Amino acid sequence: MPDWLPLLAADDVLAGIAASMSRDGRVREAAVKLLADLRAPAAAAALAVRTADWVPEVSSAARAAVSDRTGPADAAAVIPVFLALGPRRRGRQAAAAYLTGIAAGPAATLAALADAEDRTCRVWALQAQADRGLLTAEVLAARAVRDRDPVVALWCARALVGPAGVLPTPAGLRLLGSARAGVRAFAAAHLDDDQFTRQALQELLLDRSGAVRSVARWRWRRQWGDSGPVYLSVLASPGMARQVAAALQGLDEDHADCLPEAAVPFLAHRSPRVRHAAVQAAGRHASADGILEHLVPLLLDSSAKVAAAALRYVRGQAVPAGVLAALDAAGTARSRRVALSIRQDAGTWNRVHADLAALGGQDLELAEAARTDLLAWLQHGAATSYGKPTAGQAADIARLLTTPRLSGRQRQEIAFTAGIRQSSPP
């Protein structure tokens, strides 16, 4: 206790919080007394924690001190703590009493808490307002459309649902314009069929969110059948890049029979967003030959996202040596990295050979990527590498093992796994 006296005498919030976590119950009790006199949200939160203390003198003092911290700033700090204490044996009575008091307190306090920084506090305050009938449909709809937090926005959308499980028409249609995809998908699923026009549902088929498109396709099938013609009509007369990309994604998600042929012309589209969608649609539905024919040229696309998507499907295919040579000859850091990535996925000893070759190169970033991959293979894959390299691969690996970028032990482990005899320890 004496070691804490100078800190506790300083009337400092941080000192009080630190002391409140001491193993000594007397120190915690003194810290609670200090925190009770400090009007700061952090002090209120620390007091809330101590209401669950196993020493009765500490917990009762903390409960008494926190019970009058009901202002918006203090409550915003205390409520998340008490919500966490709710399921626990110690502290749950204090938590329940405090939360009940705030929920029945001034409406202005609940309104302020509904805009607190902590998400759990915001949701709790909104629920407390709803229980008291303080939230109108207009307020809920406005928040569902604009709230920055997708969880809170979706909570507000759910609160609008009536007893029959259907959104009211004006508010529900407004939610279709929400900035949050979860809210748009929820609204699309909880409006009555007669609340949708054909045009409105067609717009949802072209939403930028896959969740919304999925709900829209379900509703479209119920009323008008296959959604494929809608998507194909967009591709036939391309307009906004966003809509074209959504049409390609919709066909892909629906596993349309027209793929990959319908996607191939858009691999050269001016918009990276469209090219990315086309790569995914073609890559997931094309044959191995089709992937090599259509996606290899995009490995060096000007958009890194498009190139990465193409690489995802090209890796693991039997990529011709000429393609890899062309990537090496391109002479850019990205082309070398792409070539290495393809080789790393072309079998165990092609991977080891490619990593060792990159380790001996002048590209330091590529060498580090190769070293990381090689060490990962040594740790996780070498023990299950039952095959042996060909004679040519073994000779190349033995020559490349002279690299100083590996330790002697690492070189020995690679040589042992490959079945290469070394005349003397490196």
Side-chain angles (χ1 to χ4, degrees):
M1 179 70 174
D3 293 339
W4 286 95
L5 287 178
L7 286 174
L8 293 176
D11 290 342
D12 181 74
V13 174
L14 291 179
I17 293 173
S20 73
M21 294 183 284
S22 170
R23 289 188 295 179
D24 191 324
R26 295 170 299 170
V27 174
R28 297 198 304 277
E29 186 177 6
V32 165
K33 293 179 180 178
L34 168 63
L35 293 170
D37 294 329
L38 299 177
R39 293 293 168 179
L47 287 170
V49 172
R50 295 271 63 87
T51 61
D53 200 278
W54 57 92
V55 177
E57 291 81 0
V58 177
S59 60
S60 60
R63 180 171 182 173
V66 82
S67 61
D68 66 342
R69 302 293 185 96
T70 58
D74 284 338
V78 170
I79 286 174
V81 177
F82 277 154
L83 290 174
L85 290 179
R88 304 183 67 173
R89 181 173 61 85
R90 284 194 295 263
R92 63 184 177 185
Q93 292 181 340
Y98 184 90
L99 293 174
T100 300
I102 295 295
T109 299
L110 290 177
L113 292 173
D115 291 321
E117 184 176 350
D118 185 84
R119 172 189 286 172
T120 58
C121 181
R122 293 198 301 274
V123 173
W124 179 87
L126 286 168
Q127 184 63 61
Q129 287 179 298
D131 291 342
R132 290 174 57 179
L134 299 176
L135 293 177
T136 65
E138 176 63 26
V139 171
L140 288 170
R143 190 148 191 172
V145 169
R146 295 193 301 266
D147 198 278
R148 67 187 186 279
D149 188 329
V151 173
V152 173
L154 185 56
W155 186 95
C156 292
R158 286 174 172 163
L160 283 167
V161 175
V166 177
L167 285 167
T169 301
L173 292 176
R174 185 178 175 187
L175 297 190
L176 294 177
S178 173
R180 303 300 171 191
V183 173
R184 296 197 304 277
F186 181 83
H190 288 81
L191 284 166
D192 266 340
D193 288 339
D194 58 6
Q195 293 173 310
F196 277 109
T197 64
R198 187 183 179 97
Q199 179 61 31
L201 194 52
Q202 185 169 325
E203 290 177 3
L204 291 180
L205 287 174
L206 298 173
D207 194 272
R208 60 184 179 273
S209 164
V212 178
R213 292 193 301 270
S214 178
V215 175
R217 285 196 301 275
W218 165 68
R219 302 203 75 133
W220 187 276
R221 287 192 196 98
R222 290 175 56 196
Q223 298 183 62
W224 293 292
D226 184 21
S227 60
V230 177
Y231 292 132
L232 291 174
S233 67
V234 173
L235 299 184
S237 55
M240 297 174 58
R242 178 185 64 79
Q243 293 181 332
V244 175
L248 289 167
Q249 290 167 333
L251 290 172
D252 179 23
E253 293 157 355
D254 217 20
H255 303 283
D257 293 337
C258 61
L259 293 176
E261 289 78 9
V264 169
F266 295 93
L267 293 172
H269 196 276
R270 65 182 182 279
S271 168
R273 183 175 187 173
V274 173
R275 294 200 303 276
H276 183 264
V279 166
Q280 289 185 311
R284 289 203 280 202
H285 298 274
S287 63
D289 290 341
I291 288 175
L292 294 177
E293 177 184 357
H294 300 301
L295 299 190
V296 163
L298 293 170
L299 292 174
L300 297 179
D301 192 89
S302 58
S303 167
K305 186 175 181 180
V306 174
L311 178 60
R312 189 180 310 125
Y313 297 105
V314 171
R315 286 186 67 170
Q317 304 294 335
V319 180
V323 171
L324 296 174
L327 290 170
D328 291 332
T332 66
R334 190 203 288 185
S335 67
R336 289 191 292 270
R337 185 67 185 88
V338 168
L340 174 62
S341 182
I342 293 173
R343 289 180 172 116
Q344 286 171 340
D345 213 40
T348 296
W349 299 112
N350 286 325
R351 174 185 182 181
V352 173
H353 181 272
D355 283 339
L356 288 171
L359 274 175
Q362 300 300 315
D363 188 329
L364 297 182
E365 289 188 7
L366 189 70
E368 183 58 30
R371 183 176 184 276
T372 300
D373 181 70
L374 189 58
L375 295 184
W377 170 77
L378 271 178
Q379 183 175 1
H380 303 291
T384 56
S385 299
Y386 300 114
K388 296 298 180 183
T390 64
Q393 286 176 327
D396 285 341
I397 290 173
R399 174 177 54 82
L400 294 169
L401 276 176
T402 58
T403 176
R405 290 172 175 164
L406 293 173
S407 68
R409 180 174 186 118
Q410 290 165 349
R411 293 195 294 269
Q412 285 178 331
E413 289 175 350
I414 295 171
F416 175 80
T417 306
I420 298 172
R421 292 190 177 186
Q422 293 181 308
S423 57
S424 60

